[in-house]
């Protein structure tokens, strides 16, 4: 119990030091919401004959499938921005995690307390793989709920029925399940990348970001020069974006019915969950190989923090 | 006597340089040890070895534990302040208390808060807004609230003004130290801690060149203010050092019986700093 409390405190410590973990997604959520709010005010969304009327008429005229498709697109529209923010936050967090304490020499304070290097490094790994994605999911969900709330106000302004027009067709639970699954899959799939960043962070005496990137670029260029191949580059690229390939069924296109004008007519929202390919993920050899490599990098990072004597 | 630190023949190499070169140390329970040496003598390296922060060769036990392999257990009973600047600038005072309370089973929060209440440190201030003296006070508050058996202080008052330095050691002695606690401290400002030490160790070129309880220091070492007519006789007894001030010659002797020196002039116990200059300064010339 005490060990769990202590580990939770290690995680809290990280959020104190790296405030971007909460601030960055909060700012994205705040800005998106503000923009929507501005649009709502601009379009006099709350008045009887304002934009709400178009919304009620538009959604009302749609087939139920098309309505679901529109709401799904509306709710997922903000997700890429959150994901991009998350990737940047994780990148900068991971290269700083084991570097900043050495730069400001506070490592001697942390090491004066009975916390193992194993627990410390694992807490930082846990932040990058679990906590930051979780925070991102929470802010995505919050933004989606706020979006629907604003749509509700508009619909009410035009005296429409918010439940049937907005809330029932919005596949919130499916989207959230997908989001959590995606974060778990991405954490497992990208673990070697994070492990590499942590290792660079534990290794570098200066410029950890450079240490994290340069060896890959140099290695990739050397390979290109020597063999004319791009194995290393493709490996890294696959770790960045390959999770979509491994963890989901490839029939995402068939979920959408697109008409001749390129408009999405329907999204089979009841089948969103069917996108999840857990067996595919768990049987991908790349996943397990990657985890092995990640374990190696993390072990090295722990060893460096434990035994390196920087005088 | 319970031996808390036992070091025999410690060697630490950095490349070809030997930071520790056969260092010996024996620290008993309930003592206040001053580890004194010039810059680069190996003080910090010795402490780092004791705290399991660096690998070494030789024999070393701290509280009966191997400091490198049993480091986490050791840290439950050992506290240290490595330098004034080590508390991270982004941390807040209350966060520091929260953190130590959660990870240290022997931390008593009320104690730390009680001590902080006597200072001018705001409860939620960020460390970067505190003065150097306040940061040291905060660190001391954290450390003193931990029920540790051994406290290691490496230049804890470096860069502080004299008021803070005095207050630091007074607090340590009055509010922290008792029979069950042991303190090992290194400092340049020998005169200021002389009165609190029970034992003194001089370290030079990675070796302990003197290790003596304060109460027997006067038996082994004495300073002779030699009368002019006996100066040559005194010099013949092989003093460690000789210094002249205001026309008087002060010679420091090691292991020379007092009754042989007494006829030659006035005898007294040398101060730690005079002894330090005699013992270490000579070898540096």
């Amino acid at each position: 119990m005490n060990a769990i409390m202590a580990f939770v405190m290690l995680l809290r410590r990280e959020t104190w030091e790296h405030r971007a973990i909460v601030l960055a997604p909060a700012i994205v959520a705040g800005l998106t919401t503000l923009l929507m709010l501005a649009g709502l005010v601009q379009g006099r969304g709350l008045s009887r004959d304002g934009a709400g009327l178009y919304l009620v008429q538009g959604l009302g005229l749609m087939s139920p499938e098309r309505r679901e498709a529109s709401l799904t697109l509306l709710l997922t529209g903000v997700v890429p921005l959150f994901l991009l923010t998350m990737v940047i936050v994780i990148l900068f967090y991971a290269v700083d995690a084991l570097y900043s304490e050495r730069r400001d020499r506070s490592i001697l304070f942390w090491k004066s307390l009975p916390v193992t290097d194993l627990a410390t490094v694992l807490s930082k790994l846990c932040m990058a793989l679990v906590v930051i994605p979780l925070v991102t999911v929470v802010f995505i969900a919050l933004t989606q709920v706020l979006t629907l709330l604003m749509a509700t106000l508009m619909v009410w302004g035009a005296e429409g029925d918010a439940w049937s027009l907005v809330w029932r067709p919005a596949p919130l639970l499916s989207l959230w399940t997908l989001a959590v699954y995606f974060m778990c899959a991405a954490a497992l799939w990208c673990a070697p990348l994070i492990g590499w960043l942590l290792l660079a962070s534990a290794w570098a005496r200066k410029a950890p970001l450079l240490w994290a990137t340069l060896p890959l670029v140099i290695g990739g260029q050397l390979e290109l020069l020597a063999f004319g191949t791009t194995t290393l580059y493709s490996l890294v690229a696959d770790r960045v974006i390959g999770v979509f390939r491994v963890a989901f069924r490839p029939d995402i296109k068939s979920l959408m019915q697109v008409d001749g004008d390129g408009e999405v007519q329907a999204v089979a929202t009841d089948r969103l969950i069917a996108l999840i390919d857990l067996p595919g993920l768990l049987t991908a050899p790349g996943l397990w190989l990657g985890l092995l490599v990640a374990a190696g990098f993390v072990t090295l990072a722990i060893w460096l923090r434990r035994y390196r004597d920087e005088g | 006597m319970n031996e808390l630190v036992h070091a025999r023949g410690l060697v630490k190499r950095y490349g070809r340089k030997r930071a520790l070169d056969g260092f010996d140390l024996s620290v008993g329970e309930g003592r206040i040890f001053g580890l004194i040496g010039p810059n680069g003598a190996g003080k910090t390296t010795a402490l780092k070895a004791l705290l399991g922060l660096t690998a070494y060769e030789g024999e070393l036990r701290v509280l009966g534990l191997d400091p490198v392999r049993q480091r986490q257990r050791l840290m439950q009973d050992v506290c240290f302040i490595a330098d004034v600047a080590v508390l991270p600038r982004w941390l807040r005072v209350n966060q520091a208390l929260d953190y130590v309370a959660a990870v240290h089973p022997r931390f008593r929060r009320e104690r730390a808060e009680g001590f902080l209440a006597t200072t001018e440190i705001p409860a939620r201030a960020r460390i970067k807004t505190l003065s150097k003296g306040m940061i040291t006070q905060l660190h001391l508050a954290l450390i003193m609230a931990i029920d540790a058996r051994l406290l290691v202080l490496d230049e804890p008052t470096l860069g502080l003004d004299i008021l803070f330095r005095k207050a630091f050691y007074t607090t340590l002695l009055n509010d922290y130290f008792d029979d069950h606690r042991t303190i090992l401290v290194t400092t340049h400002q020998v005169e200021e801690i002389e009165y609190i030490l029970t034992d003194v160790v001089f370290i030079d070129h990675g070796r302990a060149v003197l290790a003596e309880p304060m109460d027997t220091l006067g038996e082994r070492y004495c300073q002779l203010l030699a009368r002019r007519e006996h100066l040559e006789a005194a010099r013949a007894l092989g003093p460690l050092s000789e210094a002249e001030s205001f026309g008087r010659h002060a010679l420091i002797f090691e292991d020379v019986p007092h009754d042989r020196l007494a006829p030659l002039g006035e005898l007294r116990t040398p101060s730690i700093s005079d002894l330090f200059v005699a013992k270490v300064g000579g070898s540096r010339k």
Side-chain angles (χ1 to χ4, degrees):
Chain A
M1 194 59 211
N2 278 339
I4 295 171
M5 298 275 284
F7 194 76
V8 170
M9 179 52 74
L10 296 188
L11 298 179
R12 280 183 65 196
R13 190 219 89 108
E14 297 303 309
T15 61
W16 295 335
E17 180 177 7
H18 301 274
R19 279 177 291 169
I21 289 169
V22 177
L23 268 183
I27 287 173
V28 173
L31 283 181
T32 343
T33 313
L34 263 181
L35 273 177
M36 288 190 290
L37 210 60
L40 195 144
V41 172
Q42 182 93 28
R44 295 187 299 118
L46 299 184
S47 61
R48 187 185 291 254
D49 54 351
L53 194 60
Y54 293 97
L55 192 66
V56 170
Q57 286 175 345
L59 286 171
L61 284 175
M62 285 176 188
S63 64
E65 293 80 21
R66 177 108 192 260
R67 197 180 297 152
E68 283 183 12
S70 304
L71 278 160
T72 305
L73 291 181
L74 174 73
L75 292 178
T76 49
V78 294
V79 173
L81 192 57
F82 277 102
L83 289 186
L84 184 67
T85 310
M86 180 181 83
V87 168
I88 294 170
V89 168
I90 291 180
L91 175 68
F92 281 94
Y93 169 77
V95 292
D96 202 47
L98 292 165
Y99 172 71
S100 67
E101 60 177 11
R102 291 183 297 125
R103 186 188 49 208
D104 67 14
R105 311 219 320 125
S106 64
I107 186 167
L108 286 177
F109 170 64
W110 306 115
K111 283 199 166 201
S112 77
L113 298 164
V115 179
T116 57
D117 299 273
L118 175 75
T120 304
V121 174
L122 286 187
S123 77
K124 290 164 195 266
L125 183 69
C126 182
M127 286 303 294
L129 292 185
V130 180
V131 177
I132 298 177
L134 208 65
V135 170
T136 304
V137 169
V138 167
F139 276 105
I140 289 176
L142 192 71
T143 310
Q144 289 171 334
V145 169
L146 285 173
T147 309
L148 292 186
L149 278 177
M150 274 185 276
T152 304
L153 288 180
M154 290 171 75
V155 169
W156 279 352
E159 291 171 351
D161 175 12
W163 173 249
S164 65
L165 289 182
V166 177
W167 290 91
R168 199 177 49 199
L172 279 182
L173 284 183
S174 301
L175 288 176
W176 292 347
T177 311
L178 266 187
V180 170
Y181 171 73
F182 171 76
M183 294 300 184
C184 295
L188 294 175
W189 184 253
C190 302
L193 282 183
I194 305 298
W196 169 257
L197 295 177
L198 285 176
L199 178 59
S201 174
W203 167 261
R205 283 168 204 266
K206 267 183 190 162
L209 191 57
L210 223 56
W211 275 107
T213 47
L214 263 190
L216 299 180
V217 174
I218 292 172
Q221 285 307 115
L222 283 180
E223 185 200 336
L224 198 61
L225 278 175
F227 308 106
T229 54
T230 56
T231 319
L232 183 63
Y233 283 142
S234 342
L235 262 179
V236 175
D238 190 47
R239 282 297 152 179
V240 179
I241 52 168
V243 61
F244 295 103
R245 172 176 65 78
V246 188
F248 295 94
R249 291 186 207 287
D251 50 358
I252 193 156
K253 275 269 159 56
S254 71
L255 276 178
M256 293 193 208
Q257 293 170 21
V258 184
D259 67 11
D261 301 328
E263 287 219 19
V264 178
Q265 290 297 331
V267 176
T269 46
D270 55 326
R271 283 177 48 214
L272 277 177
I273 297 299
L275 281 175
I276 293 176
D277 187 8
L278 192 58
L281 175 70
L282 294 182
T283 53
L287 180 84
W288 301 103
L289 273 174
L291 287 177
L292 222 68
V293 172
F297 288 150
V298 172
T299 307
L300 276 175
I302 295 169
W303 191 89
L304 277 174
R305 188 180 191 270
R306 176 72 185 86
Y307 290 106
R308 187 151 71 168
D309 176 6
E310 295 188 271
Chain B
M1 188 178 67
N2 205 347
E3 192 183 35
L4 291 195
V5 178
H6 170 86
R8 285 288 168 277
L10 285 196
V11 173
K12 173 69 191 179
R13 294 186 180 86
Y14 287 111
R16 250 189 282 163
K17 189 180 176 294
R18 284 167 173 241
L20 290 179
D21 190 9
F23 179 71
D24 299 334
L25 184 67
S26 171
V27 178
E29 189 166 32
R31 316 287 296 181
I32 303 182
F33 262 69
L35 187 58
I36 293 154
N39 287 330
K43 296 188 297 281
T44 298
T45 309
L47 295 190
K48 277 166 79 175
L50 298 187
L51 297 167
L53 292 170
T54 190
Y56 54 83
E57 298 156 52
E59 191 184 326
L60 177 60
R61 284 268 178 245
V62 181
L63 308 182
L65 301 170
D66 177 331
V68 171
R69 292 173 56 193
Q70 296 169 293
R71 188 158 192 282
Q72 197 209 1
R73 268 189 63 197
L74 186 64
M75 284 305 116
Q76 305 212 351
D77 289 309
V78 175
C79 281
F80 67 91
I81 298 185
D83 191 288
V84 281
V86 296
L87 288 182
R89 293 168 54 75
W90 49 264
L91 193 67
R92 288 180 188 279
V93 174
N94 57 316
Q95 292 173 341
L97 292 174
D98 288 346
Y99 183 84
V100 181
V103 303
H104 208 305
R106 301 189 177 201
F107 178 72
R108 283 183 298 162
R109 192 182 179 124
E110 329 75 66
R111 231 186 117 92
E113 281 169 343
F115 178 70
L116 284 175
T118 67
T119 69
E120 289 172 19
I121 301 173
R124 295 180 52 81
R126 230 180 255 289
I127 283 171
K128 67 175 161 206
T129 67
L130 300 179
S131 73
K132 235 177 165 180
M134 286 175 167
I135 296 174
T136 310
Q137 281 180 327
L138 170 61
H139 207 159
L140 188 63
L142 293 172
I143 294 297
M144 288 204 317
I146 293 171
D147 191 16
R149 292 173 65 196
L150 176 64
L151 173 61
V152 177
L153 303 168
D154 187 10
E155 295 283 0
T157 56
L158 198 66
L160 298 186
D161 65 46
I162 179 131
L163 292 177
F164 270 118
R165 296 204 300 264
K166 282 275 184 204
F168 181 89
Y169 289 112
T170 309
T171 311
L172 204 60
L173 202 57
N174 294 343
D175 298 348
Y176 179 77
F177 185 68
D178 62 38
D179 292 348
H180 304 291
R181 302 189 199 256
T182 308
I183 300 177
L184 186 57
V185 56
T186 75
T187 180
H188 281 93
Q189 280 121 4
V190 189
E191 302 85 352
E192 282 168 30
I193 62 162
E194 189 167 350
Y195 71 100
I196 73 165
L197 297 181
T198 64
D199 291 79
V200 59
V201 177
F202 289 169
I203 178 170
D204 192 29
H205 298 296
R207 285 167 172 277
V209 294
L210 176 149
E212 203 63 35
M214 292 296 279
D215 24 346
T216 58
L217 203 67
E219 291 164 21
R220 288 199 59 197
Y221 296 92
C222 79
Q223 189 175 42
L224 171 73
L225 295 174
R227 277 188 284 276
R228 193 166 296 275
E229 62 272 27
H230 297 310
L231 192 55
E232 286 312 314
R235 281 177 181 158
L237 291 172
L240 284 177
S241 74
E242 180 180 338
E244 190 185 350
S245 63
F246 302 111
R248 304 208 335 162
H249 289 260
L251 295 85
I252 293 177
F253 292 90
E254 178 179 2
D255 290 333
V256 177
H258 288 15
D259 48 6
R260 292 185 63 186
L261 295 170
L264 305 177
E266 187 185 328
L267 282 185
R268 60 186 190 193
T269 302
S271 70
I272 297 285
S273 47
D274 285 341
L275 191 57
F276 179 73
V277 172
K279 199 76 183 156
V280 176
S283 72
R284 291 264 156 164
K285 273 169 198 163

